[in-house]
Amino acid sequence: MKRRVGYTTGVFDMFHVGHLNILKRAKENCDYLIVGVSTDELVEKYKNKTPIVSYEERREILEAIKYVDEVVPQESRDKYSAYKQYGFDVMFVGDDWRGNGLFLEVEKRFKEVGVEVVYFPYTKGTSSTVLREKLEKIK
């Protein structure tokens, strides 16, 4: 029986329970989970901010999590290119991305090659952005 390979990506800055929830749910829905961690350069390019935790440390954190089988650098937001490189069967995404132009295109292209896109509920009340805002208020 063919193993089901899953893929998800993120910045994973200031790792929190929302990140853990996505990884746990993803692993429950595949046999082998590949996690793409956004490089510092990619984050600076599309979010116009530098991650608080460096790529190397974020990668190390993800490698230590029992739900994660493999960690790879995400150097581009091109999910189809990642599919061609890693050959996954399903991609897991937080539902805060549902309806986003990037993912509407991803869904369309993945449907053509038989890759499923699964959205998980966003963990309300926690995000790296919320944590950043709280830290700013403490200053």
Side-chain angles (χ1 to χ4, degrees), residues 2-8 26-27 29-35 69-70 82-83 85-92 114-116:
K2 182 182 181 284
R3 73 178 180 172
R4 182 169 154 102
V5 177
Y7 180 73
T8 193
K27 184 61 177 178
N29 286 277
C30 68
D31 302 305
Y32 188 85
L33 180 62
I34 301 169
V35 178
D69 295 298
E70 182 178 350
Y83 161 72
Q85 186 169 0
Y86 304 114
F88 48 84
D89 305 296
V90 57
M91 180 168 180
F92 303 105
V115 173
E116 183 182 4

Side-chain angles (χ1 to χ4, degrees), residues 65-111:
I65 295 170
K66 68 180 179 179
Y67 307 117
V68 177
D69 295 298
E70 182 178 350
V71 178
V72 297
Q74 178 180 226
E75 299 171 312
S76 159
R77 296 179 75 197
D78 182 344
K79 308 304 183 195
Y80 193 77
S81 175
Y83 161 72
K84 288 192 290 187
Q85 186 169 0
Y86 304 114
F88 48 84
D89 305 296
V90 57
M91 180 168 180
F92 303 105
V93 184
D95 69 2
D96 54 320
W97 286 98
R98 188 188 304 269
N100 174 285
L102 173 71
F103 279 93
L104 290 174
E105 182 62 27
V106 165
E107 287 178 34
K108 181 180 169 191
R109 291 196 73 191
F110 279 176
K111 189 173 188 174

